[in-house]
């Protein structure tokens, strides 16, 4: 059956597991590596649209208003997002619905649905539960930053803020690419029991020591820091970091202004894509400029802020700290979905 003759396939996570078609960590990295090559050559393109809903509207609903105080330190992140992209063979659209309150209902904070399309006809080929696909591609950012910016003459320590699916993917990816370079990963969550559960769940799949912690005391000893939270305010202070540590930010407004100023002045600041991060305007680096009435998209090139999507230049060595912010490019989702579909088709045959 050709793509033009194909009927729409609804692919559940259970079916992927039954056929052994879930991507391994190695296969996810291979798919993402191909995506980055095509992004930088212009063979893969995409965009992102986000509809953020006002938190006051949610808390005004009678069934929720009594619980507002318990979310004082956490953003709801109540939003509907669409990530769309095409590459030489396929197109794709990921739809994400998110609200941190979902956890109170026993649901994931966000749920992704991925629609894979034939490139020439733009007819649907398959629909996936995209939540696991999304976490897998996001975790690979940690591998990329580790390889590009973290010098490791000796084994290092990593500090990970967050204990959700993305944090688990970060551990899996760093275990795959950095197990010989990383001695331990400290894990801190808003809820200490969540950090402990993540460490227990991931321990059997890695040789890296996973250490749940309840404060930032170990932060100064870490060469690499990853933030993957839904925090409303910065999760560390600048003085708590090692002077030249590399940081990767995958959540929202998690980074203090003092650190951003220091990185802009003495180190390197990098985004996966300046325009996308700027227009999303939910992460610390874009908010830093928008709060001054400026735009990251406009100021970034003037200040030498790099972007991973550029063909070259973003990896140029520089002294001082390296601050990397990634919003999650839709083309990465497409390549992971494509690889998953091709693995499933092969397993079915």
């Amino acid at each position: 059956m050709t793509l033009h003759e194909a009927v729409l396939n609804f692919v559940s996570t259970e079916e992927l597991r039954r056929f052994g078609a879930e991507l391994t960590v190695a296969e996810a990295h291979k798919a993402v590596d191909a995506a980055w090559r095509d992004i930088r050559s212009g063979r893969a393109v995409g965009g992102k649209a986000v509809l953020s809903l006002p938190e006051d509207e949610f808390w005004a609903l009678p069934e929720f208003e009594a619980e507002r105080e318990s979310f004082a330190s956490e953003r709801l992140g109540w939003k509907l997002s669409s990530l769309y992209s095409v590459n030489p063979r396929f197109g794709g659209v990921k739809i994400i619905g998110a609200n941190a309150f979902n956890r109170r209902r026993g649901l994931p904070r966000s749920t992704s649905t991925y629609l894979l399309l034939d490139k020439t006809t733009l007819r649907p080929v398959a629909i996936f539960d995209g939540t696991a696909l999304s976490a897998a591609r996001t975790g690979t950012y940690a591998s990329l930053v580790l390889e590009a910016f973290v010098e490791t003459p000796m084994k290092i320590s990593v500090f990970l803020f967050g204990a959700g699916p993305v944090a688990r993917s970060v551990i899996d990816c760093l275990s795959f690419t950095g197990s010989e370079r990383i001695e331990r990963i400290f894990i801190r969550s808003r809820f200490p029991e969540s950090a402990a559960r993540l460490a227990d769940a991931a321990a059997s799949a890695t040789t890296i020591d996973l250490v749940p912690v309840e404060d930032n005391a170990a932060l100064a000893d870490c060469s690499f820091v990853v933030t993957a939270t839904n925090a409303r305010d910065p999760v560390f202070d600048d003085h708590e970091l090692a002077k030249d540590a590399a940081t990767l930010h995958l959540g929202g407004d998690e980074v203090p202004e003092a650190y951003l100023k220091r990185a802009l002045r003495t180190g390197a600041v990098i985004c996966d894509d300046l325009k996308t991060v700027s227009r999303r305007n939910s992460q610390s680096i874009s908010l830093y400029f928008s709060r001054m009435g400026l735009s990251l998209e406009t100021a970034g090139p003037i200040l030498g802020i790099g972007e991973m999507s550029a063909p070259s230049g973003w990896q140029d060595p520089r002294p001082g700290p390296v601050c990397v912010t990634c919003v999650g490019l839709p083309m990465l989702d497409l390549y992971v979905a494509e690889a998953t579909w091709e693995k499933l088709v092969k397993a079915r045959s």
Side-chain angles (χ1 to χ4, degrees):
M1 181 180 291
T2 68
L3 283 172
H4 304 281
E5 299 168 337
V7 297
L8 180 60
N9 291 263
F10 292 90
V11 182
S12 67
T13 301
E14 290 71 24
E15 182 179 5
L16 290 176
R17 289 172 181 165
R18 186 169 70 251
F19 281 95
E22 289 182 299
L23 297 188
T24 65
V25 178
E27 289 167 338
H29 277 81
K30 182 178 179 180
V32 168
D33 287 345
W36 281 116
R37 287 194 296 270
D38 284 354
I39 289 167
R40 291 165 185 151
S41 69
R43 285 163 50 86
V45 296
K48 184 172 184 176
V50 180
L51 179 62
S52 294
L53 303 177
E55 291 194 12
D56 286 345
E57 178 184 334
F58 181 85
W59 295 121
L61 297 172
E63 62 266 43
F64 303 128
E65 59 183 352
E67 301 191 61
R68 181 169 191 165
E69 189 62 31
S70 65
F71 272 78
S73 64
E74 182 179 7
R75 296 179 301 114
L76 284 180
W78 189 25
K79 59 189 177 183
L80 177 63
S81 304
S82 173
L83 287 75
Y84 45 91
S85 58
V86 294
N87 69 16
R89 294 190 60 223
F90 289 95
V93 180
K94 183 172 76 171
I95 300 168
I96 312 168
N99 187 338
F101 194 86
N102 288 344
R103 298 193 189 102
R104 300 288 177 90
R105 298 162 165 162
L107 300 170
R109 183 189 69 84
S110 66
T111 299
S112 299
T113 303
Y114 200 89
L115 178 62
L116 186 68
L117 310 167
D118 168 45
K119 168 71 175 291
T120 57
T121 65
L122 290 180
R123 288 170 57 85
V125 174
I127 295 178
F128 295 92
D129 177 350
T131 304
L133 303 182
S134 182
R137 64 87 155 137
T138 305
T140 64
Y141 278 112
S143 297
L144 182 57
V145 173
L146 177 72
E147 180 179 353
F149 298 116
V150 183
E151 296 183 4
T152 55
M154 299 182 295
K155 279 200 169 187
I156 65 166
S157 293
V158 175
F159 203 105
L160 171 60
F161 289 94
V166 170
R168 173 59 195 264
S169 180
V170 166
I171 292 172
D172 290 342
C173 291
L174 291 179
S175 298
F176 174 68
T177 57
S179 60
E180 295 182 356
R181 304 169 63 187
I182 299 171
E183 182 175 5
R184 65 180 65 85
I185 299 176
F186 296 102
I187 306 169
R188 186 179 182 194
S189 172
R190 183 179 299 104
F191 304 106
E193 60 272 20
S194 298
R197 280 197 300 268
L198 175 58
D200 288 343
S204 62
T206 182
T207 59
I208 299 171
D209 289 336
L210 304 179
V211 184
V213 296
E214 297 186 20
D215 57 39
N216 289 355
L219 198 57
D221 299 321
C222 295
S223 300
F224 186 24
V225 178
V226 182
T227 62
T229 79
N230 203 43
R232 190 181 296 274
D233 300 301
V235 294
F236 61 83
D237 291 323
D238 184 35
H239 67 83
E240 295 178 304
L241 289 174
K243 181 181 178 182
D244 294 335
T247 63
L248 167 63
H249 311 294
L250 302 171
D253 192 9
E254 305 168 300
V255 184
E257 182 177 304
Y259 170 63
L260 292 175
K261 287 181 176 179
R262 181 166 66 88
L264 285 165
R265 185 178 67 253
T266 67
V269 176
I270 296 160
C271 298
D272 50 356
D273 184 81
L274 276 174
K275 180 171 69 175
T276 306
V277 174
S278 179
R279 295 183 181 182
R280 178 66 188 94
N281 200 36
S282 66
Q283 294 167 297
S284 298
I285 186 62
S286 56
L287 290 168
Y288 171 75
F289 289 99
S290 65
R291 286 164 178 160
M292 295 187 292
L294 303 173
S295 163
L296 170 64
E297 186 177 355
T298 302
I302 298 171
L303 296 175
I305 296 177
E307 52 184 344
M308 294 178 175
S309 56
S312 62
W314 62 275
Q315 287 179 290
D316 292 346
R318 308 175 211 185
V322 177
C323 173
V324 183
T325 297
C326 297
V327 75
L329 298 187
M331 295 77 84
L332 304 186
D333 294 288
L334 174 58
Y335 280 75
V336 170
E338 177 183 356
T340 301
W341 172 243
E342 291 177 342
K343 187 174 181 179
L344 177 61
V345 169
K346 184 176 180 180
R348 282 173 169 175
S349 62

